[in-house]
Amino acid sequence: IAAVAFGAQAADYPVKDKPITIVVPFSAGGPTDRVARDLAEALRKPLGATVVVDNAAGAGGSIGANKVAKANNDGHTLLLHHIGMATMPTLVRNIPFKVDSDFEYLGMVNDVPMTLIGRPNLPANNFKELVGWIQQNKGKINLGNAGVGSASHLCGLLFQQAMGVEMTAVPYKGTGPAITDLIGGQIDLLCDQTTNTTSQIEGKKVKAFAVTTPKRLTTPALKDLPTMEEAGLKDFQVTIFHGLYAPKGTPADVQKKINDALKVALKDPDFNKKQEGLGAVVVTDRRVEQAEHKKFVAQELDKWSPVLKKAGVYAD
Ligand code: MLT
């Protein structure tokens, strides 16, 4: 009688008292983690659920991405990822998932500039002196990154190509631990997102040489940094977009609820204030549309694939 009385409820989303997990494919304390935690905060109310972050790091971000590709498609396991969705397919051989067909695209979040930074005791105080130091130390330079396929890896590749100097890549599970080693002097250089570097540059914990955006940034701690173009590297521009993903087959009404909640979250004044303070730019409504998101990632894949193939760097 109870079953008849209550009837068969359509599967509601979110499931009562079940948290929604945002998987971050890099270690805690890094730039992707920063965006995810601020976004989780802003999504809590519009989704009407507890939103937690799970760091599933390794292999340049493909371990975490694969975890979501293979997860239950009930809308309770999501992926926050960045430009790596457009670089991994070219860089990671035998990648265990397909970026275009194993995920539902739930909308984009923000664009984040990158900064070229160095250890605090690096004997160079501006980009020109850095170039001199690089030329004198060929073969001895350690460049941190978050694994092949990460944003820091992509930026590091572009920088080595621009300098015509190969550097030793030192991979970490995220640029959180990478920047800690840079501050400690264990590595020489790192190209990382302002969501991670702004506070370290402000605190003079690292040397800062340039930003990778077409124009200078307005964030107080970053506004005096030259663009790569001003520094003489005119084609060197890279901005890191972030998007939200779910496993393929997530019900369309669940996808819509998440995309609607994302649009509310991206207008959250607190979220915007945090992002602005870190040099990030929250995307406008057009780019939060799911179809736009999917189209943009496909365009980025086409843009970066030839660049990466030329670099010939692959992860097995
Ligand atoms: C990257 O380099 O892809 C990310 O900055 C890594 C991270 O978020 O830790």
Side-chain angles (χ1 to χ4, degrees):
I1 291 175
V4 170
F6 285 103
Q9 292 289 328
D12 276 348
Y13 173 80
V15 170
K16 194 166 169 356
D17 300 334
K18 183 176 178 183
I20 294 168
T21 299
I22 297 180
V23 172
V24 168
F26 297 102
S27 46
T32 314
D33 186 62
R34 173 76 279 129
V35 174
R37 288 178 196 277
D38 290 350
L39 185 66
E41 192 54 44
L43 279 170
R44 220 173 292 284
K45 237 163 67 210
L47 278 178
T50 306
V51 183
V52 297
V53 169
D54 163 30
N55 298 87
S62 54
I63 288 178
N66 190 43
K67 180 171 182 177
V68 175
K70 306 292 190 291
N72 182 322
N73 55 17
D74 63 357
H76 278 264
T77 307
L78 309 178
L79 170 70
L80 182 90
H81 206 339
H82 58 31
I83 198 168
M85 289 295 266
T87 57
M88 284 185 292
T90 305
L91 287 167
V92 184
R93 269 195 275 259
N94 324 314
I95 194 164
F97 54 83
K98 294 216 173 332
V99 162
D100 57 347
S101 56
D102 287 339
F103 296 93
E104 303 296 353
Y105 289 59
L106 299 174
M108 295 180 70
V109 177
N110 66 3
D111 289 312
V112 185
M114 299 195 89
T115 48
L116 182 67
I117 56 177
R119 56 183 161 84
N121 55 356
L122 193 102
N125 291 314
N126 56 49
F127 196 88
K128 193 160 167 290
E129 289 175 11
L130 175 67
V131 173
W133 179 82
I134 287 173
Q135 297 306 331
Q136 284 149 21
N137 289 277
K138 281 183 183 172
K140 293 185 285 185
I141 301 169
N142 291 321
L143 173 68
N145 67 41
V148 174
S150 65
S152 43
H153 167 256
L154 173 65
C155 185
L157 268 189
L158 297 174
F159 184 58
Q160 291 173 82
Q161 283 176 347
M163 288 288 107
V165 174
E166 260 198 50
M167 301 173 189
T168 305
V170 182
Y172 294 82
K173 287 192 181 296
T175 49
I179 207 167
T180 302
D181 267 11
L182 184 79
I183 291 167
Q186 271 74 44
I187 52 175
D188 300 307
L189 294 171
L190 175 68
C191 185
D192 194 12
Q193 297 171 71
T194 57
T195 32
N196 197 31
T197 62
T198 302
S199 57
Q200 306 298 357
I201 293 169
E202 225 159 24
K204 303 219 179 314
K205 298 275 180 45
V206 296
K207 291 226 169 132
F209 297 107
V211 294
T212 63
T213 38
K215 289 204 187 69
R216 287 197 178 202
L217 302 177
T218 54
T219 313
L222 307 172
K223 65 179 176 33
D224 298 332
L225 288 180
T227 62
M228 284 292 184
E229 179 150 14
E230 286 176 78
L233 307 179
K234 66 178 177 24
D235 301 331
F236 190 155
Q237 285 179 14
V238 58
T239 298
I240 308 303
F241 68 91
H242 292 73
L244 204 56
Y245 305 84
K248 187 72 185 169
T250 301
D253 63 334
V254 171
Q255 292 184 45
K256 175 136 181 19
K257 275 191 179 180
I258 298 171
N259 181 256
D260 288 344
L262 179 59
K263 286 174 180 168
V264 173
L266 296 186
K267 296 212 181 323
D268 178 303
D270 187 36
F271 180 72
N272 276 275
K273 192 155 161 278
K274 285 177 191 167
Q275 290 292 298
E276 236 165 84
L278 295 171
V281 179
V282 178
V283 299
T284 57
D285 260 351
R286 185 181 57 77
R287 290 180 70 201
V288 190
E289 295 308 332
Q290 293 181 257
E292 280 292 320
H293 179 191
K294 181 146 191 171
K295 199 168 76 182
F296 185 78
V297 173
Q299 285 165 352
E300 286 284 293
L301 189 71
D302 292 343
K303 170 179 168 185
W304 292 109
S305 184
V307 174
L308 296 165
K309 283 197 175 113
K310 201 172 95 187
V313 177
Y314 297 100
D316 290 318

